Amino acid sequence: MVKAATNPNLRVVLYEGEGSSTLDADQRFDAMQRLLESGYSVTRASGERPVSRGDDRAVAVLGRFDDPDQLDTGLEADAPVHIHDVTDRDTDTLLNTVESVNTQVAQHQTEYWKPWFPVIDFDRCTNCMQCLSFCLFDVYGVDDKQQIEVRNQDNCKTDCPACSRVCPEVAILFPKYRHGPINGDAVKTEDIEREKMKVDISSLLGGDIYAALKTRNAKFKSRFAKERDEDKALAERKKCLTKLAEQFDIPAEALEHLPTMSEIQAKAEAAAARTAEQQSSRTGDQN
Amino acid sequence: MSDRPRILYCHCAYAHVVPKATKEAVLRGLTDAGVDFDAAPDLCEMAARRDPSLEKLVEREGEDSPCKIVACYPRAVKWLLHGAGVELPDDVEVLNMRTETPETILNDLLKDAETRGLQSTGVSDATTPDP
């Protein structure tokens, strides 16, 4: 995992158009790669077309300029533009220049983060709300048209594709997942039919698994009570969860937080009530 | 105004799902060829925070030339951007670095461009992406 700037306050333009000399190909590549891996958006511009306007972040324009004061990059930006001549500077120095400008613009924090969250394929989604009912972390919500939506991406458990397993239409993607079709690869008939794609909520979480855990716990309860060996009980639970984690490729951490059947039902009822309330409110407005 | 396709390259910096060799070879090919392009560290990350520049990168006003996005699976890119409030125009082409070779991608991107430097990029020697 790379160390990346979160919300960097700067985007970078490598300018090689009129009024400047071109960078060496190696330096261009090296600078691009290292800036991207440091979390900066970068535009390479030769002046052939307007540089994208971007957002309201400041812009650092770097290049080998004949006269930086006379430079006209054609850049239309809504934010401050910082022009820096990098003639005879190596990539390390170039990167330091960008970091320095970024620090000037605003102090930015760095942290490790993997953008992991579900993406809904609305060509496939039937709005069945199974994902909303399933996810105890409130990643999903319903918009004002009663359409399912991903609302709280930050709540999603990194590397956990569990909700995509309960979707009967294979409509939930995780672009950074390893395997198709969850990674966005085309959905084939066999994918839908594949056993792991047919897992429904009750078999994944509710009755079967919890019943199995309960049965196993009950089976060993008397023996554990006699032996008073809580470590063994814990080891047994871990073993069971590990098996599930392997079978469904779900992180153990997420499995340990899985909702019970009653929690799933409660969430589904709450969602239905909210929808009914919204519909009722809308009907009232129309009247 | 150029009628060459606009290029948006995603470096998928926060995960290892796109083969490193493929990313590097494509980036090397683009930088060596001397074409204009926009590069994002990670489209997922930008989509997660609904970065307003996403829309401007994809749908640039006043530009007739289509946009080519170099990232991962087209279905993932389309719905990722949709989730961030950006609808991909029909003429946008998504090139998949998870399945295509750098050579194929660069040939597609640079077929209309001057290919100076392309032969020196060594892209044909790059590692084939993971299946």
Side-chain angles (χ1 to χ4, degrees), chain A residues 46-209:
Chain A
S46 66
E48 186 180 72
R49 55 169 29 113
V51 177
S52 59
R53 193 178 185 87
D55 49 24
D56 57 357
R57 281 179 295 175
V59 183
V61 181
L62 309 178
R64 293 176 172 172
F65 304 126
D66 304 333
D67 182 355
D69 294 334
Q70 298 297 318
L71 188 69
D72 178 13
T73 61
L75 174 65
E76 293 178 9
D78 298 324
V81 176
H82 302 258
I83 295 174
H84 287 269
D85 183 16
V86 293
T87 304
D88 298 330
R89 293 190 191 172
D90 60 16
T91 309
D92 284 337
T93 315
L94 185 148
L95 213 65
N96 287 339
T97 302
V98 172
E99 290 291 346
S100 166
V101 176
N102 192 49
T103 306
Q104 280 173 32
V105 172
Q107 207 70 29
H108 78 277
Q109 298 173 331
T110 57
E111 62 178 32
Y112 293 98
W113 183 62
K114 180 176 183 177
W116 179 272
F117 54 87
V119 170
I120 302 171
D121 177 345
F122 286 102
D123 281 344
R124 304 191 63 84
C125 177
T126 59
N127 214 30
C128 72
M129 304 287 168
Q130 285 223 42
C131 48
L132 183 144
S133 303
F134 167 79
C135 180
L136 198 63
F137 306 114
D138 287 329
V139 170
Y140 294 93
V142 179
D143 68 13
D144 54 6
K145 294 174 185 163
Q146 276 73 57
Q147 179 77 49
I148 188 79
E149 68 174 4
V150 178
R151 182 173 291 173
N152 301 309
Q153 292 150 323
D154 293 350
N155 289 1
C156 194
K157 291 288 171 192
T158 301
D159 292 335
C160 177
C163 56
S164 65
R165 301 286 191 209
V166 303
C167 176
E169 301 297 332
V170 202
I172 297 175
L173 318 176
F174 285 87
K176 295 199 187 304
Y177 190 63
R178 289 171 305 219
H179 309 296
I182 293 172
N183 60 12
D185 198 357
V187 179
K188 304 181 187 76
T189 308
E190 54 263 38
D191 291 325
I192 301 169
E193 291 170 350
R194 197 177 298 153
E195 188 179 355
K196 61 182 178 183
M197 286 300 176
K198 289 193 295 181
V199 178
D200 61 33
I201 288 176
S202 61
S203 66
L204 180 58
L205 297 179
D208 291 355
I209 285 170

